[in-house]
Amino acid sequence: METFLGLDYPTWWFLVVGGLFSGYAILDGFDFGAGAWHLFLKKENSRRIALNAVGPVWDGNEVWLVIGGGALFAGFPVMYATMFSSLYVPFMLFLVFIIFRAISIEFRGKEPMLWWRNLWDVSYSVSSIMLAFLLGVVLGNVLQGIAIGENYQYQGGVLFEFLNPYALMTGFTTLSLFMAHGAIFLLLKTEGRLFAKLTRLLKRGMIFFMVSFAVTTLYTLIYIPHLSDDFKSNPALFVIPLLTFLSIANVPRLAEKRRYKSAFLFSSLTIAFLLVLVAVELYPVLLRSSIDPQYNIDIYNAASSTKSLQIMMVIVAIGTPLVLFYTIFVYKTFWGKVKLDETSY
């Protein structure tokens, strides 16, 4: 098998897809989290400020999801097909909620009536909560294993099999992590009484995350032992969970000192480290069969041809700097506290 810098091309594409979804989780994670807190803000002005904090960036953040999905389809078409047919219901729900979230942001300020704005506030917040939760549910199913049989066909139930206990736990853990991440972002964008309220909400969000993370981690170690096999066989890998725990511990410490820029950096690193943990636990498997390991989908039996991966690596080398430049430019342009004017949501 051909290699580049010592790694085969399926492994390179595994890293590319992982990097894209990590970027998406960090960027869209904070605006999902900000939306999840929306109904906790009672005043009209507070809700408008929170909405305008994510207003300039939420649609750009979703570019990472589009690119990540495209990279997954192009590089690992077998995995893409099996995963979407296996988890059809949560992915369709995700699509519905992402549409409602977008129209809630755009429609809310179009009419002055109180009932109108309350309607779209509820739609925006519920959609944000469900999007974060569904991402965790999908991740939980991928980690636990899916009923994949011969020819990589899904053999499980259609409707509610994806709502298993472990998927629910990872769903709540993801939601709580994004809520803490989103609260820190809002603290960077607000001031005054809203800022003071968000400091209290952040404490609740951190408690929610710590409890959810502890329960999910304990359940994983006891009931899903295959996820820790690589760490047991290679103790050097324990540096990754160590860095993860240190990153998590740093978030409330920095928040207590009101160093919210640093806290946001470490909440971003926490998301990245957790996804690195996922990658290490899975590699080289992409989708684990809960029926028989011979039906596992890995980076080799799911990959496109080597030539295709080589061509797409060139495209990645050209496109990634452009996406990064655009992202940095947008965030630099709209950095600072939110000030409402006649053009605001």
Side-chain angles (χ1 to χ4, degrees):
M1 181 172 286
E2 293 185 56
T3 62
F4 176 67
L5 298 178
L7 295 176
D8 55 63
Y9 282 94
T11 299
W12 272 113
W13 205 250
F14 180 81
L15 295 174
V16 167
V17 172
L20 289 170
F21 281 120
S22 296
Y24 174 68
I26 291 168
L27 296 175
D28 229 12
F30 74 70
D31 60 49
F32 287 165
W37 289 115
H38 196 67
L39 294 180
F40 288 81
L41 311 177
K42 302 303 181 184
K43 294 182 179 179
E44 166 69 9
N45 197 59
S46 296
R47 290 182 176 184
R48 286 191 66 202
I49 290 171
L51 202 58
N52 282 278
V54 301
V57 297
W58 68 269
D59 47 355
N61 292 342
E62 291 178 0
V63 169
W64 290 77
L65 175 64
V66 175
I67 298 173
L72 187 64
F73 172 73
F76 301 117
V78 175
M79 186 265 193
Y80 184 93
T82 302
M83 184 174 72
F84 274 79
S85 59
S86 304
L87 299 171
Y88 185 81
V89 174
F91 278 120
M92 288 305 296
L93 287 173
F94 186 89
L95 182 61
V96 169
F97 283 118
I98 209 166
I99 291 170
F100 268 93
R101 183 171 179 273
I103 62 176
S104 299
I105 294 171
E106 298 297 336
F107 283 12
R108 184 190 186 276
K110 300 302 182 186
E111 297 289 346
M113 296 87 75
L114 182 61
W115 68 266
W116 174 270
R117 295 195 170 192
N118 285 339
L119 171 68
W120 295 115
D121 282 339
V122 171
S123 174
Y124 169 63
S125 191
V126 171
S127 296
S128 299
I129 290 168
M130 290 305 300
L131 287 167
F133 179 72
L134 287 168
L135 284 175
V137 166
V138 169
L139 178 61
N141 279 281
V142 170
L143 287 170
Q144 181 174 245
I146 299 172
I148 302 170
E150 194 173 357
N151 297 321
Y152 310 123
Q153 296 295 311
Y154 178 59
Q155 305 292 329
V158 178
L159 288 178
F160 300 113
E161 188 165 320
F162 70 94
L163 291 176
N164 54 75
Y166 187 65
L168 293 174
M169 280 186 277
T170 53
F172 282 115
T173 302
T174 304
L175 171 61
S176 61
L177 175 57
F178 285 177
M179 288 179 75
H181 193 45
I184 297 169
F185 176 77
L186 289 177
L187 283 163
L188 293 172
K189 304 293 288 183
T190 58
E191 52 195 350
R193 290 185 178 181
L194 178 55
F195 179 91
K197 180 163 189 173
L198 285 165
T199 58
R200 297 191 294 273
L201 292 178
L202 174 59
K203 290 178 181 178
R204 296 181 195 175
M206 286 306 303
I207 292 170
F208 181 24
F209 170 64
M210 295 292 187
V211 173
S212 300
F213 180 68
V215 171
T216 304
T217 301
L218 188 62
Y219 186 97
T220 303
L221 293 172
I222 296 173
Y223 294 105
I224 312 183
H226 67 254
L227 293 178
S228 57
D229 287 346
D230 286 337
F231 294 96
K232 292 174 183 176
S233 61
N234 188 356
L237 292 174
F238 275 102
V239 70
I240 302 170
L242 176 62
L243 290 172
T244 305
F245 284 116
L246 290 174
S247 182
I248 291 170
N250 242 338
V251 175
R253 185 184 70 84
L254 291 165
E256 189 67 28
K257 295 181 177 181
R258 300 207 164 199
R259 294 170 56 188
Y260 294 114
K261 287 182 182 178
S262 298
F264 186 76
L265 171 63
F266 275 95
S267 66
S268 300
L269 285 174
T270 296
I271 294 171
F273 282 138
L274 286 171
L275 288 173
V276 170
L277 271 175
V278 169
V280 171
E281 289 165 345
L282 290 175
Y283 181 85
V285 174
L286 295 171
L287 285 179
R288 185 179 298 274
S289 172
S290 59
I291 296 175
D292 193 310
Q294 68 174 319
Y295 301 132
N296 287 352
I297 298 176
D298 59 37
I299 62 171
Y300 301 107
N301 60 27
S304 298
S305 68
T306 299
K307 190 66 176 178
S308 297
L309 294 177
Q310 288 174 331
I311 293 170
M312 289 188 294
M313 284 293 292
V314 175
I315 296 172
V316 167
I318 297 170
T320 301
L322 296 176
V323 174
L324 288 173
F325 173 78
Y326 160 80
T327 302
I328 293 168
F329 174 77
V330 169
Y331 279 87
K332 189 173 182 180
T333 302
F334 293 101
W335 193 251
K337 304 294 184 180
V338 173
K339 303 293 183 184
L340 297 178
D341 56 33
E342 65 279 359
T343 64
S344 301
Y345 286 112

